[in-house]
Amino acid sequence: MDSPVESEPAGLTRLRLDIAYDGTGFQGWAKQPGLRTVQGELENALATVFSRFGRGPILTVAGRTDAGVHALDQVAHVDLSDEQFASLVSSHQGKGRKPDSSPEARAARLGRRLNGIAGLSSDLYVSRTALAPPGFDARFSATWRRYRYRIADKRAPRNPLLRNQTLWYPAELDVDAMNVTARGLLGLHDFAAYCKPREGATTIRTLQHFGWERDETGVLVAELQADAFCHSMVRALTGACVAVGEGKLKAGRAVDLLRARERTAEFKVLPAKGLALIEVGYPDDAEVGLRAEQTRARRDAATLEEARRASAAPA
Amino acid sequence: MDSPVESEPAGLTRLRLDIAYDGTGFQGWAKQPGLRTVQGELENALATVFSRFGRGPILTVAGRTDAGVHALDQVAHVDLSDEQFASLVSSHQGKGRKPDSSPEARAARLGRRLNGIAGLSSDLYVSRTALAPPGFDARFSATWRRYRYRIADKRAPRNPLLRNQTLWYPAELDVDAMNVTARGLLGLHDFAAYCKPREGATTIRTLQHFGWERDETGVLVAELQADAFCHSMVRALTGACVAVGEGKLKAGRAVDLLRARERTAEFKVLPAKGLALIEVGYPDDAEVGLRAEQTRARRDAATLEEARRASAAPA
C-alpha cells in the first residue's frame, strides 16, 4: 500500500511514539492550559527539540487517558517537516564512528532527545520512536485497546511500592462472582449504562476480553480489551464487578443494566489510580492505512446516523 | 520452650510487626531527630495509640535499612505493658456481635490502629501484628535476611510506574558474567572489601544465595540472602556485578577483592532506590528463643575478640 492516504500529508514524515507514564502527577493525557498533562509535557518537549522551526508539532494519541490513569504502552504519532526530520542528526562527534544518518536512526534519535529534555521527569518516558508505516494513524489504525485494573482487597497484601497503581479495597472480593459478571458483559453492546455520556459519541463497543485473576501476591488484576472504550467505561465495568464481588449487586443485574442503557447508582465507578492502558493493537504494517480509512468512514457514518436520529426525535 | 528468656521481661507482651514501606520518602529505618524515618513514624504512631500510658513503646528491628531503601516484609518487635495490651479492645459497638477480646484479636487490632493514624501515609503499611512466640527477638532470632536489587539496563524497558524501585542504567549488562561473579562471592567470607566499616562490628558473613535474572519484562533482578549483611554490603556486591556486567571489572578480580579485605574504587556502590528488603527468615516458633540466645552469645564473643585484637595491635 504505497498509495497516499488522507492522514499522511506529502512532505511530512510520520513517526510513531511509544510512551509510558505514571499518571499520578498528570491531569490526564489531553493538553489543558495551566495544567500538567502528558500531551502538554510531550508537546513542550517537542517544541524545545524543534525550536528553530517555529511552532512545535502536535501529537495524535491512541487512547486519551483521564487524570491519574497510567500507561505502560501508549501510542501516539507526530508529523515532522523535512527540515525538522533532517535536524535529527547525531551530536556525537569523532570517536572514529560515522554517525548513522539513516531515516531509522533519525527517528530513534527523537526519543532520546525527548527523554533528555529537563521538562520530562522520570514519571514520563518515551520508550521508542520509529518511522510509522505508510497510512499509519495512532488513533484510527488501532484495532483494540487493552487496559488493566489492580485491586488489593482485604485478602491481598498492601504493597506501598505499588500504591500508585493499586486500589486498596477494604472488603474481601469474590473473584469467581466477578468473573461471571465479566463474562456476561463480553461482546457487542450499547454500553451506555457504563459510559459517561459525550455529545455525539457512540457508546456501542465490542468488549473482546474481560477477566479477573489474583496475581502471585494475591492482588486482583482485571484485563479488559475492546475495539475502543468510551469515557470512564473501564472504571464502570470494573466497579460493577466489585459490587458483585462484595455481594452488593447480583451478577445478572450487572448484565441486565446493559439493556437499560442508562447510568445507575447501583455500583460505583472506581478511582483512576488502579487503571493502566497496557497495550494498543494494530494490524500488520500493510493494513494500517486501510484500517484507518475504515475507522474514519465508520465514524463519519455513525455521526451522520446520530444527527439523523437527533433531528427525528420529538422535541 | 516456656522458660523465661532474657529478651522478654515479665509483665510485658511481645508483639511481632510485619511492615512494608516505600523508602523514597524516608531517611532510612533508624530514628533521627528532625528527619522522617520509618522507626520514627511508627514510634510516633505507637505513642499516639498508647498516649494514656506515658512514653510510647520502642521498636526493635530485624534489618535497619538505609535512606531510600524499601522493604516488602520488614520485621520488628515491640513490648507492651499489661495495661497497654489490655487497652487494645474493639471500638465496634453493637451489631449483635460480641467483640473478640482474645490476645490474638488484641494483637491484630494494633496493626489496624497504627494504619489508621494520620501520620502513617500510604508509603508505610503495617501488614500484620501478632503475638510473638516465646523468646522471639526480631533482630537476634532471625536466621537470614533476603534483599532484592532491580536494574533496568539499556536492554530493558523503563517503567515509570516502577521508577522508585528500579535503577535505570545507561549501558547493557551481561547477566551471565554477573552470575559468574555472584557465584564466586557465595559462602563464608570476611566481606570487609564490600562493607562500609563500623567500629567494633564484624564483617564476617555467610552469603547463602546470590543470583541475577531478567524478569518477564527484561529487568535485571538480583536476590541475595545472608545470615546478616553489614553496612552497604548489598549495594557493594551488586555494584561489583554491574562493573563486571559492563566489562569494566573482571569477575575473578571481584572475588579476589575478598582476600584484599579493603574497600576499593574499582566498582561503585549502587544507589539505594533499586534495593528492597524482601524477607527475614526465622526458625520454627519452638526455636526462636534458643536462636536469639545463640546470636547474642556469638555477638558477645565477637565483641570480646575484637577488643582483644585491638588491644594486642601495635600502637
Side-chain angles (χ1 to χ4, degrees):
Chain A
M1 296 242 317
D2 283 325
S3 63
V5 291
E6 173 203 5
S7 56
E8 200 179 5
L12 293 180
T13 302
R14 179 162 293 185
L15 300 190
R16 168 181 166 154
L17 286 74
D18 287 71
I19 304 152
Y21 44 91
D22 178 340
T24 312
F26 295 98
Q27 294 295 318
W29 169 269
K31 201 162 38 179
Q32 295 179 69
L35 297 178
R36 184 170 187 253
T37 70
V38 182
Q39 184 183 20
E41 292 288 308
L42 286 172
E43 290 186 359
N44 284 345
L46 284 165
T48 303
V49 169
F50 299 115
S51 56
R52 293 192 274 152
F53 306 99
R55 253 188 85 197
I58 299 299
L59 290 165
T60 299
V61 77
R64 288 197 301 170
T65 49
D66 283 341
V69 176
H70 317 293
L72 295 182
D73 197 352
Q74 171 74 280
V75 181
H77 75 242
V78 67
D79 291 322
L80 301 184
S81 69
D82 288 346
E83 294 74 23
Q84 288 171 329
F85 190 59
S87 75
L88 295 170
V89 289
S90 176
S91 54
H92 287 284
Q93 303 289 339
K95 277 194 177 180
R97 281 192 309 174
K98 210 178 147 190
D100 184 351
S101 62
S102 68
E104 289 75 15
R106 283 172 200 254
R109 219 162 268 143
L110 178 60
R112 290 198 293 277
R113 293 269 173 91
L114 291 173
N115 288 322
I117 301 284
L120 292 196
S121 66
S122 61
D123 60 351
L124 170 57
Y125 188 74
V126 179
S127 326
R128 187 168 166 264
T129 47
L131 295 173
F136 176 84
D137 183 299
R139 178 177 174 199
F140 289 119
S141 295
T143 45
W144 48 262
R145 280 89 176 161
R146 199 169 178 94
Y147 282 86
R148 175 185 82 186
Y149 202 98
R150 290 172 46 88
I151 304 176
D153 69 346
K154 211 176 164 182
R155 245 185 72 187
R158 294 183 170 185
N159 182 349
L161 283 167
L162 302 175
R163 69 190 182 286
N164 282 355
Q165 51 175 314
T166 312
L167 175 66
W168 288 2
Y169 201 78
E172 184 170 339
L173 299 174
D174 177 347
V175 63
D176 294 330
M178 293 163 84
N179 271 322
V180 169
T181 315
R183 276 196 298 275
L185 294 163
L186 286 174
L188 176 70
H189 303 286
D190 184 340
F191 283 95
Y194 290 96
C195 293
K196 202 160 156 184
R198 267 184 176 154
E199 188 120 2
T202 174
T203 49
I204 297 169
R205 295 286 189 273
T206 303
L207 186 60
Q208 299 159 344
H209 175 85
F210 187 10
W212 292 88
E213 58 180 355
R214 289 194 187 267
D215 72 6
E216 69 286 0
T217 71
V219 169
L220 281 161
V221 183
E223 290 206 8
L224 299 90
Q225 183 180 309
D227 52 347
F229 289 92
C230 48
H231 191 210
S232 89
M233 182 170 155
V234 182
R235 291 155 57 189
L237 291 172
T238 48
C241 287
V242 164
V244 172
E246 204 181 345
K248 292 185 172 174
L249 184 73
K250 291 229 161 68
R253 175 66 189 151
V255 178
D256 287 346
L257 284 170
L258 283 175
R259 278 194 287 277
R261 293 183 53 195
E262 268 184 13
R263 307 233 312 156
T264 166
E266 294 171 57
F267 62 85
K268 290 200 181 80
V269 171
L270 297 186
K273 69 183 304 185
L275 183 59
L277 170 61
I278 54 175
E279 200 181 348
V280 182
Y282 293 96
D284 290 344
D285 282 2
E287 305 288 330
V288 292
L290 183 62
R291 167 74 192 183
E293 283 175 42
Q294 287 169 341
T295 312
R296 268 188 220 98
R298 238 199 324 271
R299 186 197 53 163
D300 293 346
T303 309
L304 204 65
E305 175 59 26
E306 284 286 330
R308 200 173 287 143
R309 232 187 274 160
S311 65
Chain B
M1 295 246 316
D2 284 324
S3 62
V5 291
E6 174 202 4
S7 56
E8 200 179 5
L12 294 179
T13 302
R14 180 162 289 184
L15 301 190
R16 169 181 165 153
L17 286 74
D18 286 72
I19 304 152
Y21 45 90
D22 178 339
T24 312
F26 294 98
Q27 294 295 319
W29 169 270
K31 202 161 42 178
Q32 294 179 68
L35 296 178
R36 185 170 185 252
T37 70
V38 182
Q39 183 183 20
E41 292 289 307
L42 286 171
E43 290 187 358
N44 284 346
L46 283 165
T48 304
V49 169
F50 298 115
S51 57
R52 290 193 275 151
F53 306 99
R55 255 188 84 200
I58 300 299
L59 290 166
T60 299
V61 77
R64 288 197 302 171
T65 49
D66 282 341
V69 176
H70 318 292
L72 294 182
D73 196 351
Q74 172 72 281
V75 181
H77 76 242
V78 66
D79 292 321
L80 302 184
S81 69
D82 288 346
E83 295 73 26
Q84 289 172 329
F85 190 58
S87 75
L88 295 169
V89 288
S90 176
S91 55
H92 286 286
Q93 303 290 339
K95 276 195 178 178
R97 281 192 310 175
K98 209 178 146 191
D100 184 351
S101 62
S102 68
E104 290 74 17
R106 283 174 201 253
R109 220 163 267 141
L110 178 60
R112 291 199 292 278
R113 293 269 174 90
L114 291 173
N115 288 322
I117 302 284
L120 293 197
S121 67
S122 60
D123 60 351
L124 170 56
Y125 187 74
V126 179
S127 324
R128 187 168 166 264
T129 46
L131 294 172
F136 177 84
D137 183 300
R139 178 176 173 201
F140 289 118
S141 295
T143 45
W144 47 263
R145 280 88 176 161
R146 198 170 178 93
Y147 282 85
R148 176 185 81 187
Y149 202 98
R150 289 172 48 88
I151 304 176
D153 69 345
K154 211 176 166 183
R155 244 185 74 187
R158 296 187 168 182
N159 182 349
L161 283 168
L162 302 176
R163 71 191 180 286
N164 282 354
Q165 51 176 312
T166 313
L167 175 67
W168 289 1
Y169 201 79
E172 184 170 338
L173 299 174
D174 176 347
V175 64
D176 293 331
M178 293 163 84
N179 271 322
V180 170
T181 315
R183 275 195 299 274
L185 294 164
L186 285 175
L188 175 70
H189 302 286
D190 183 342
F191 283 96
Y194 290 96
C195 294
K196 202 161 156 184
R198 266 182 178 158
E199 187 120 2
T202 173
T203 49
I204 297 170
R205 296 284 189 273
T206 304
L207 186 60
Q208 300 159 344
H209 175 85
F210 187 9
W212 293 88
E213 58 180 356
R214 289 195 187 266
D215 73 6
E216 69 284 1
T217 71
V219 170
L220 281 162
V221 183
E223 290 206 9
L224 300 90
Q225 183 179 309
D227 51 347
F229 289 91
C230 48
H231 193 210
S232 89
M233 180 172 157
V234 181
R235 292 155 57 190
L237 292 172
T238 48
C241 287
V242 164
V244 172
E246 204 181 346
K248 293 186 171 171
L249 184 72
K250 291 229 161 67
R253 176 68 189 149
V255 178
D256 288 344
L257 283 172
L258 281 176
R259 278 195 286 277
R261 291 182 54 195
E262 267 185 16
R263 309 233 311 155
T264 166
E266 293 171 56
F267 62 86
K268 288 201 182 78
V269 171
L270 298 185
K273 68 182 305 187
L275 183 58
L277 169 61
I278 55 174
E279 200 181 348
V280 182
Y282 294 96
D284 290 343
D285 283 1
E287 306 287 331
V288 291
L290 183 63
R291 168 74 192 181
E293 283 174 43
Q294 288 169 341
T295 312
R296 267 188 223 100
R298 238 198 325 270
R299 184 198 54 165
D300 293 345
T303 310
L304 204 65
E305 176 60 26
E306 285 286 330
R308 201 173 287 145
R309 229 185 278 161
S311 66

